[in-house]
Amino acid sequence: MSKCLSNNLSEMQEAQPAMLAAKELLAHGMAPVYRVINGVLVVTVFMVVGLWLSGNGTNAGPFDLARILVPDEARHIVWSNGFGMLDQYKNENAHGEGIAQASSNVGFASARQQTVALLMPSVAQVPVKSISHLADRIPASKIDPQALDSNLMGSIQNQRAVADFFEKKYSLDRKKIEEYVSNTILIAKEVNIDPVLLLAVISVESNFNPNTKSHAGAEGLMQVMTSVHRDKYALFGGTREAAKPEVNIRVGAYILKYLIATAGSLRNGLKYYVGAANAEDDGGYADKVMAERNRLIGLCQTKSTNRLTLNGKDLRS
């Protein structure tokens, strides 16, 4: 009996080195697999964080995790000032909602200043809430490419040329037209829509007169139906703010983008915007807006070309 046990023990001792060698061989063989898995996990984390931070600018849709993970204000602060500001936001939020709101307004202004140069930079300092949390819900895939920003208004020279055009066309005060143009460009970036299109709509709707009010109850530069859109004006303090350019353009820009997505094209969106959704035609409204838009595009393209010439010589490579 003891001899049998001794033999078994001896056999087990002899088998252990073989088992250890097999385990080492298996671990060595699996090492590349583990490295690949770890690499995939790291890349996935970076992609998720990247999509989160870029959600406001790219309409990342369901991948825009910011609306799930943190408030919209926090995303703006992170986007404009880095991760360090997120901790500051949290600390301020712990001291009260009022302090946090003040911080978010500063964050909005800072972000807007950094993302676009403006003819009148002071408009970016006006404390006003963003409407991007609504505009971001509209899938970019549903927006007619013609309604997206072609970056023509990113040039101060082009902004000045457009301001000159409207100043002469409507005999406007220079400071006011610069304010309206700058606000429109700022808000277009916020809503992710073409500022040239918004400027064309404002020109056709109100001739850049913020005090214009129709018999039907449409008000402001974008001629938004105040009674219909009370819920949107509630974000900015109620309908008493409806005529303020920085508020009226925001609400109008969001509504226009929503209608373009709903109607399926820029022209149909304009038809909806003027209230002719169920009519056979819009009375020429879309044609007027598109014609004004094309005039502004031509003006900007001419200025952009001129900027690349010197003494009659083409400087483009």
Side-chain angles (χ1 to χ4, degrees):
M1 179 70 175
S2 61
K3 184 178 180 180
C4 181
L5 291 173
S6 177
N7 289 338
N8 289 339
L9 182 61
S10 177
E11 290 176 359
M12 291 177 62
Q13 289 175 344
E14 291 176 358
Q16 281 182 350
M19 292 176 63
L20 291 173
K23 288 182 178 178
E24 289 179 1
L25 183 61
L26 180 62
H28 181 73
M30 290 296 293
V33 177
Y34 292 142
R35 283 196 291 269
V36 171
I37 293 174
N38 289 335
V40 170
L41 289 174
V42 170
V43 171
T44 301
V45 169
F46 274 101
M47 287 180 64
V48 169
V49 172
L51 287 169
W52 169 47
L53 292 178
S54 65
N56 188 52
T58 62
N59 287 319
F63 295 104
D64 183 5
L65 301 182
R67 283 192 289 272
I68 301 173
L69 298 177
V70 294
D72 190 57
E73 291 88 346
R75 180 177 60 180
H76 278 277
I77 293 172
V78 173
W79 176 258
S80 59
N81 298 305
F83 284 100
M85 286 297 294
L86 184 57
D87 293 330
Q88 180 181 341
Y89 171 84
K90 291 178 180 177
N91 292 334
E92 290 178 341
N93 194 50
H95 288 86
E97 191 173 316
I99 298 175
Q101 184 61 45
S103 173
S104 69
N105 286 335
V106 172
F108 290 144
S110 176
R112 290 196 293 260
Q113 272 189 312
Q114 292 179 22
T115 55
V116 60
L118 299 173
L119 194 58
M120 184 180 283
S122 60
V123 301
Q125 301 296 335
V126 177
V128 59
K129 289 184 178 180
S130 169
I131 202 168
S132 62
H133 65 290
L134 294 180
D136 285 354
R137 296 175 188 174
I138 303 171
S141 60
K142 292 189 176 182
I143 303 300
D144 188 330
Q146 291 187 89
L148 297 176
D149 190 0
S150 58
N151 205 34
L152 283 174
M153 299 302 291
S155 161
I156 291 293
Q157 186 183 28
N158 285 350
Q159 294 177 29
R160 188 173 291 113
V162 168
D164 290 342
F165 173 76
F166 286 128
E167 179 187 14
K168 293 174 183 177
K169 182 174 183 177
Y170 297 119
S171 300
L172 295 169
D173 176 77
R174 181 66 189 191
K175 286 186 178 180
K176 283 298 181 182
I177 192 59
E178 288 188 3
E179 175 191 335
Y180 301 153
V181 169
S182 296
N183 254 317
T184 301
I185 295 166
L186 189 71
I187 293 164
K189 292 289 183 183
E190 183 180 302
V191 177
N192 193 21
I193 196 171
D194 182 17
V196 177
L197 171 63
L198 291 184
L199 289 167
V201 170
I202 291 171
S203 178
V204 173
E205 287 283 358
S206 64
N207 297 346
F208 281 88
N209 180 0
N211 299 317
T212 300
K213 186 172 182 177
S214 73
H215 295 296
E219 292 185 81
L221 293 173
M222 293 282 287
Q223 287 293 281
V224 178
M225 294 291 290
T226 304
S227 60
V228 176
H229 299 288
R230 289 179 180 275
D231 58 327
K232 299 169 190 67
Y233 281 122
L235 295 170
F236 306 99
T239 56
R240 64 180 179 277
E241 307 293 317
K244 282 188 176 181
E246 64 270 20
V247 173
N248 189 270
I249 300 173
R250 272 183 174 82
V251 174
Y254 163 69
I255 294 169
L256 179 59
K257 183 179 180 181
Y258 175 84
L259 293 176
I260 291 171
T262 302
S265 71
L266 174 54
R267 280 190 167 275
N268 285 338
L270 290 170
K271 183 180 177 183
Y272 277 44
Y273 190 84
V274 78
N278 298 320
E280 290 186 7
D281 62 73
D282 58 11
Y285 176 80
D287 288 334
K288 291 178 183 177
V289 172
M290 295 298 285
E292 188 78 336
R293 171 180 172 272
N294 290 336
R295 275 191 287 270
L296 298 179
I297 290 174
L299 185 64
C300 291
Q301 289 174 339
T302 300
K303 288 294 179 181
S304 297
T305 302
N306 290 342
R307 182 169 55 89
L308 297 173
T309 61
L310 179 64
N311 298 328
K313 295 181 180 180
D314 194 348
L315 300 181
R316 287 174 293 183
S317 58

